[in-house]
Amino acid sequence: MEYFRPNTQDSGERWAIAGGGTFTAFRLIESGVEAKPGIESLLHILQLASKTGATLSEIGRHDVAARVLTSAAKYEELLRNTDDPDGVHQTAIACGTVVYFSSRMEAAWQEKNYTVADFMSQKITDDDQRLTLLPLHSRQLLASKFHRIGKSALELPEGTKPSDAVVWLQKAFTLADPLEDNGALGVAELKISILQTLAKAYFVAGSYDRAEATLEELIPSIDASPDHVRSMQVPAIDEDHARALKTVDTVFTSLCQAEVELDTVPTTACLTLLWQYGDRHYHAKKWLEAADWYLAGSHKLFRLNSPTTSTKCFRKAALCYIEQREFARASTVIRRCPTNEAKTHYVIFTIAIHQGLEDEAVRAVREMVEAPDFDRNMLLLATQLSHQSEMKGVLLSVLEALLKTLKLSNSGETAVEAMTLIRCIIRLAVGLLGDPTVNRTTLIDTVVNHFRTARILTEAACTQKAMSLISKDVSWLWRTAYNCAVQGCSEWERCEERVADLFDIARGLLEALCQASPVEMDSEVYSHLANASFSAFICYVEFHVLTNQDATVFSTRETILASTGKAEQISAVTAEIVACKKRILSIMEKEIVQKDEEVLRMQYFIHTLQVFEAEFLTRAKLWEQIPPLVQEIVSSGPLALGTYEAIADILRFVLPIRHPGFLTPGSPTKTLLRASLDHNHLSVEKFSRWLRAICTIILARNTPEDRAKAIGYVEQALTVIEDNLDSDQPYPIDERQWLLATTYNTGTECLHGAMLDEAKRWFEASTLICRFVPGGQDRAEKISDTYTHLLSRYGSK
C-alpha cells in the first residue's frame, strides 16, 4: 500500500516527472480495461488510480488528481458491487478499498478540503472488520498517515482548531495501539510520537487534565525519565505558596544555567502542571496565587520549544489581577505581551474599562479588530462589558466595530442584524449629543453616516424584495432622522449640510417604505414625506448657496446676486427645486392627505419653491424657462397671490437687461401685473414701480405698437390713482411726477415726428395726470399752451 514520496527539494523535480509518468501509465492501462473487468483487474486499476491521484495531489496537480480519483471512485463502486462468494479476494479487496479511501483523504487534506478528508477518515475507521483484514504494516502506515495529518492540523491551524487535531491523533493512536502486542517493528516509536503530539494538542486545546494523563502514559515509555518534570510534583503539594514558587524558579533557573534545552514533551508537561496549579487557585478565587503560577510559566526555560506560551501566561495573570481589582498590576503584566494579538488587546480593553480610561478602551477596540487573530465574539463580550460600565462612548465604538465586521450578504438575517446595530448606535449617539463635554461635530457626523448606511441597506432590501424584514426598523429610522433634523435646525450651529442630509435621508427612507408597502400608507407618512422633501431643499440651499453666515434662507436672492462664479451651484440648486416640486406635487395628486391645514401647507411649499425657481432661473439667465413658470404660477389660482409679489420683485432686477422675452404680449411681467390687478393683490406702490419699469422698457423700443401698449398702461395707472386717492396707500407722488413727465415728453416726441393722433393721446393723459400732482392746475395750462403751440407749428406741415 505504500508508495514513494519526495523527501528533498532536489527529489521534488524527479517527483513531478515521475508523477507525470505515473499519470500517463495509468491512462494507458485504463484505456485497456475490459468492459466488465474481473475482481483482480478492478483491484489492480483501483490501486493504480488511487496512488496516481495521491501522487498528483502531492505535487500540487489538484485538478488532474481530482479527475483520476473520480475514476478511482467508479472502480471502487464496481469492486464493492462485485460478488466474491468464496471470500478468496477478501483481504485484497479490503486493502484496495483502504488504499482508495486513504488516497482520497490525503488528497483532500492537501487541497484544504477538511470536510472530505474527515469523511474519508470515518470511512476507514468505522469498519473494524475491514481493518482487521489489513496486514500489520498497512495498519501501521495508516496510523502514520493519521498522525501526520493530526500534526499538520496542530502546526498549521489555518481552517482547523486544536480539537480537530485531537480527533485525528486519537484515531492514529487507536490504529497504532493494538499493533504493539504483535511485535511490529517501529510501532513503539510511532506510539511515543503520537502521544507526544496528542499531549501537545490537549495542552493547546486547553484540556490540561487530559494532557497530564497523556504525559503520565508517555513517561514510562521514555528511556530517560525526566527528573525535572517529576520535581514539579514536590512544590505542587507544598502548602507554603511562596516556598513552592521559589523552588520552581530555582529548578528552572538551574536548568537554564546548565544550558539544558527541554524538548517538546517535558516542556508541555511542565507547563501543563503549572497551569493546572494556576487553574485550581483561580477556581478557588485565590487570584494572586493563581497569577503567580501562571507567571511561573513565562520562564525563559520554555521559550525555545513553546514561544507563544509566555503571552498566554501573561494574559492569564493579568485576568487574575483584574479579578483581584489590582488594575495597575494587570496593566503592567499585559504590557509584556506582543501587540499583534487580539486577545491581548481584549485584556487591555477590560483593564481600561475597569480603570475608567475611555480613550484607551476605544483604542484597544480598534487595535483588537485589526489583529490577525481577531474573533468577532470578542466584540460581543466587549459590548456587554461596555454596557455594564455605562461608558457610552466606549459602547458606541464597540457597536460601530461590530457593524464594520458584519459580513453583509444577500440573506435577510444580516440586514436585520445590521439594522439592529445601526439603531442601537444612533440611539446611543443621539443621547450623547446632550453631553456638553463631547465633540458635537464628530458625533453629528457619526449619526449622519450611520443614517446613510441605513438608507443604503434599505435600498438593497428593496431591490432584494426583503423590505418586510426591516420595515419596523425603517419606520423608526425615518422618524428619528426627521426629529434629529428638526432638532438640528434650532440647536446645531453651522451644520446646515448635516441637517439637509438628515431631512433627505428621512425622505429617502419614507419613499422606500411607501414603495415597498403592499397597501397605501396613511396620510401622516405622506405629510411627513412632503415636509422632509421641502426642509431638505431649504437646508440644502442654505448650505450650498449662502455665503453670509448671518443671512437667512429667504435673503438668498441678495446673496446670490452679489456673488459671482456660482454657475454650477445655481444649476444644481435649480435641479433640486424641480425635483422637490415634483415630489410634493405627486403627493398632492394622490389625494391621500385630506386635512385642510396639511394640504394648505403643501400648496405653500409649491409656491415657495416656485419663487426659488424663478430666482435661480433669473440668476442663471435661463430666460426662456421663466415665462412657462410664471404662467404655471398664475394658473395656480387665488392661493398663489402671495407668490406674485415675490416673483415680481425678482424679475424687477432683470428688467433693465431688456431681454426680448420680457417685451412680448405674454411676457412674465405683464402676466403677473395683470393677475395681480385681477385679484386686487399687488400693492399700489408695487404696482407703480412695476408699471414704471414696464413702460421704460416698452418706450425704449420706440415703435408705434410699443407706444400704444405704454399709453394703455398709463391710462390703467390713472384709474388706479383715482381709485386710491383717499386710501391709506395712495399712488406715490414721485411716480405721479414720473408719469406726468413721461407722458408730456412722449407726446412732444410724437409731435416732432408728425404723429399727431398719438401726440394728442399722450398730451391728454398728461393733462389728466396734472389733476393729481401739486400745482397741477398751472401745469395743465402750460401743457395745453405748449401742445397748442407745437400743434400749430407741426400740424401745418
Side-chain angles (χ1 to χ4, degrees), residues 123-400:
K123 298 281 284 185
I124 294 171
T125 57
D126 286 351
D127 195 335
D128 293 333
Q129 183 179 359
R130 182 167 54 208
L131 288 174
T132 58
L133 295 173
L134 298 180
L136 292 179
H137 73 276
S138 297
R139 291 159 65 184
Q140 185 176 347
L141 180 60
L142 265 181
S144 298
K145 292 186 178 192
F146 276 82
H147 178 220
R148 184 166 55 250
I149 292 177
K151 192 173 182 180
S152 68
L154 187 63
E155 295 174 351
L156 302 171
E158 182 182 353
T160 63
K161 302 184 292 293
S163 57
D164 298 327
V166 167
V167 173
W168 284 98
L169 294 167
Q170 286 174 336
K171 290 179 180 180
F173 185 78
T174 301
L175 289 168
D177 191 39
L179 303 178
E180 192 171 18
D181 297 335
N182 296 314
L185 295 176
V187 172
E189 292 78 5
L190 177 61
K191 280 186 61 178
I192 291 173
S193 181
I194 293 172
L195 286 172
Q196 288 177 338
T197 311
L198 183 59
K200 184 177 180 180
Y202 279 134
F203 179 73
V204 175
S207 301
Y208 305 125
D209 291 336
R210 290 189 176 186
E212 184 180 14
T214 304
L215 289 171
E216 290 292 340
E217 184 176 353
L218 178 62
I219 288 174
S221 303
I222 303 176
D223 295 333
S225 179
D227 294 333
H228 47 271
V229 176
R230 297 186 182 280
S231 67
M232 289 287 297
Q233 298 173 357
V234 178
I237 59 176
D238 195 319
E239 295 183 359
D240 189 338
H241 175 72
R243 182 180 175 185
L245 285 171
K246 185 176 180 180
T247 303
V248 169
D249 184 67
T250 300
V251 172
F252 292 165
T253 302
S254 299
L255 290 171
C256 287
Q257 291 174 348
E259 298 182 353
V260 173
E261 293 185 1
L262 300 184
D263 59 20
T264 302
V265 174
T267 297
T268 303
C270 290
L271 290 172
T272 299
L273 292 173
L274 290 172
W275 283 26
Q276 280 185 338
Y277 303 148
D279 288 348
R280 290 169 187 170
H281 284 89
Y282 186 91
H283 293 307
K285 297 185 179 181
K286 297 180 179 179
W287 317 119
L288 296 180
E289 289 85 350
D292 290 339
W293 282 112
Y294 291 137
L295 288 175
S298 65
H299 199 282
K300 63 180 181 179
L301 177 67
F302 307 116
R303 292 176 190 170
L304 179 62
N305 279 310
S306 188
T308 62
T309 301
S310 295
T311 301
K312 295 179 182 179
C313 292
F314 291 140
R315 282 199 295 261
K316 285 179 171 288
L319 290 174
C320 292
Y321 290 133
I322 291 173
E323 294 288 355
Q324 189 67 28
R325 306 193 67 79
E326 293 194 11
F327 305 120
R329 292 182 70 180
S331 181
T332 300
V333 169
I334 201 63
R335 299 295 174 193
R336 299 171 66 181
C337 295
T339 58
N340 60 343
E341 295 187 26
K343 294 177 182 178
T344 298
H345 290 297
Y346 178 77
V347 177
I348 294 173
F349 167 81
T350 304
I351 297 170
I353 285 289
H354 285 291
Q355 291 180 308
L357 302 176
E358 184 167 326
D359 291 342
E360 186 167 347
V362 171
R363 183 167 55 253
V365 170
R366 291 172 182 167
E367 293 176 352
M368 178 173 65
V369 172
E370 297 297 327
D373 62 330
F374 166 70
D375 185 345
R376 197 165 180 267
N377 289 327
M378 296 178 184
L379 286 177
L380 297 177
L381 296 173
T383 302
Q384 183 179 5
L385 195 58
S386 303
H387 179 69
Q388 292 173 350
S389 68
E390 298 185 355
M391 297 175 70
K392 295 182 179 179
V394 178
L395 180 57
L396 180 61
S397 296
V398 175
L399 292 175
E400 287 184 311

Side-chain angles (χ1 to χ4, degrees), residues 399 414-427 473:
L399 292 175
T414 55
V416 172
E417 183 180 352
M419 281 297 197
T420 302
L421 284 171
I422 289 172
R423 286 182 60 179
C424 292
I425 291 169
I426 290 174
R427 184 184 290 110
D473 298 295

Side-chain angles (χ1 to χ4, degrees), residues 652-666:
R652 179 167 61 88
F653 283 86
V654 299
L655 285 177
I657 299 172
R658 302 182 182 183
H659 187 272
F662 292 91
L663 302 177
T664 61

